[in-house]
């Protein structure tokens, strides 16, 4: 059985139809998606962070350092007026951890209602 790219051409019609319908809506897609994401976000904040091996934790710490060193100076100056460097690092680390949790939720199907 050969793998022919034309086998999925019918999906283009569905894609065009979906784009047409979405473009005619008066509300944004975020109005539909936001409640699902909000619930996931609040549940995630109330729970434990996703499991990470020690090597993953070290990699996250290194990535945090890299992001902070590449952060635009103007942004860092504004943040530094209100937070010390450790607080900025913790915030960046929390964003990365939340991103890991989001990816895991998508992979596990926890957000299939999107």
């Amino acid at each position: 059985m050969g793998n022919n790219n034309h086998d999925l051409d019918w999906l283009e019609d569905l894609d065009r139809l979906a784009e047409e319908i979405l473009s005619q809506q008066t509300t944004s897609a975020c109005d539909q998606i936001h409640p699902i994401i909000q619930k996931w976000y609040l549940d995630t904040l109330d729970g434990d962070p996703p499991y990470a091996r020690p090597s993953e934790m070290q990699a996250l710490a290194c990535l945090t350092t890299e992001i902070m060193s590449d952060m635009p100076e103007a942004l860092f100056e504004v943040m530094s007026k209100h937070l010390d460097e450790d607080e900025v690092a913790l915030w960046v680390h929390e964003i990365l951890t939340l991103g890991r949790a989001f990816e895991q939720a998508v992979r596990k199907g926890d957000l299939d209602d999107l």
Side-chain angles (χ1 to χ4, degrees), residues 40-100:
W40 172 85
Y41 178 71
L42 294 174
D43 290 347
T44 301
L45 289 181
D46 286 340
D48 293 328
Y51 171 77
R53 297 184 318 266
S55 60
E56 292 172 321
M57 292 299 294
Q58 183 179 9
L60 279 174
C62 291
L63 185 55
T64 297
T65 301
E66 291 298 320
I67 290 170
M68 287 183 61
S69 68
D70 287 340
M71 185 181 293
E73 187 65 31
L75 178 60
F76 188 76
E77 287 176 13
V78 168
M79 292 178 81
S80 295
K81 289 180 183 177
H82 304 282
L83 305 167
D84 66 31
E85 191 170 336
D86 288 341
E87 290 172 315
V88 174
L90 180 62
W91 181 67
V92 170
H93 190 272
E94 287 175 352
I95 290 171
L96 293 172
T97 301
L98 189 61
R100 285 185 72 239

Side-chain angles (χ1 to χ4, degrees), residues 94-111:
E94 287 175 352
I95 290 171
L96 293 172
T97 301
L98 189 61
R100 285 185 72 239
F102 185 78
E103 179 186 11
Q104 289 175 4
V106 168
R107 286 180 188 248
K108 290 190 319 188
D110 293 345
L111 298 172

Side-chain angles (χ1 to χ4, degrees), residues 21-58:
I21 291 170
L22 287 174
S23 69
Q24 294 173 1
Q25 289 184 346
T26 57
T27 60
S28 79
C30 285
D31 290 340
Q32 297 167 6
I33 293 171
H34 177 72
I36 295 168
I37 295 299
Q38 181 182 32
K39 180 183 180 331
W40 172 85
Y41 178 71
L42 294 174
D43 290 347
T44 301
L45 289 181
D46 286 340
D48 293 328
Y51 171 77
R53 297 184 318 266
S55 60
E56 292 172 321
M57 292 299 294
Q58 183 179 9

